[in-house]
């Protein structure tokens, strides 16, 4: 489940697992989403703030 994915090793492992360009782009994207209050981060877990958006992301 992407919306509650546990990201202990945020960066390279995520970038590799989802075929993304780089670890730094993953970290920058997460930071930007948190600044826009679309993503939250608590105790090592990133979560999509809007539950309807999270559902849409899972279904897409």
């Amino acid at each position: 489940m992407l919306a509650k994915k546990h990201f202990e090793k945020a960066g390279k492992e995520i970038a590799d697992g989802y075929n993304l360009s780089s670890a730094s782009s993953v970290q920058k994207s997460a930071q930007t989403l948190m600044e826009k209050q679309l993503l939250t981060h608590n105790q090592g877990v990133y979560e999509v703030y809007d539950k309807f958006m999270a559902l849409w992301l899972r279904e897409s």
Side-chain angles (χ1 to χ4, degrees), residues 29-48:
S29 296
Q31 182 64 36
T32 300
L33 291 171
M34 286 188 291
E35 289 169 4
K36 294 178 184 250
Q37 297 181 345
L38 295 172
L39 194 65
T40 62
H41 182 244
N42 293 312
Q43 298 178 342
V45 176
Y46 286 89
E47 199 170 10
V48 176

Side-chain angles (χ1 to χ4, degrees), residues 1-7 39 44-48 51 54 58:
M1 181 161 69
L2 181 60
K4 284 191 167 187
K5 189 85 175 165
H6 188 80
F7 294 140
L39 194 65
V45 176
Y46 286 89
E47 199 170 10
V48 176
K51 301 303 177 192
R58 279 193 299 271

Side-chain angles (χ1 to χ4, degrees), residues 7-57:
F7 294 140
E8 287 186 345
K9 295 182 181 177
K12 181 166 176 32
E13 187 174 296
I14 296 166
D16 292 345
Y18 289 97
N19 199 27
L20 301 172
S21 60
S22 70
S24 62
S25 69
V26 171
Q27 292 167 344
K28 177 62 177 165
S29 296
Q31 182 64 36
T32 300
L33 291 171
M34 286 188 291
E35 289 169 4
K36 294 178 184 250
Q37 297 181 345
L38 295 172
L39 194 65
T40 62
H41 182 244
N42 293 312
Q43 298 178 342
V45 176
Y46 286 89
E47 199 170 10
V48 176
Y49 181 76
D50 184 321
K51 301 303 177 192
F52 293 108
M53 183 176 190
L55 178 62
W56 178 77
L57 289 168

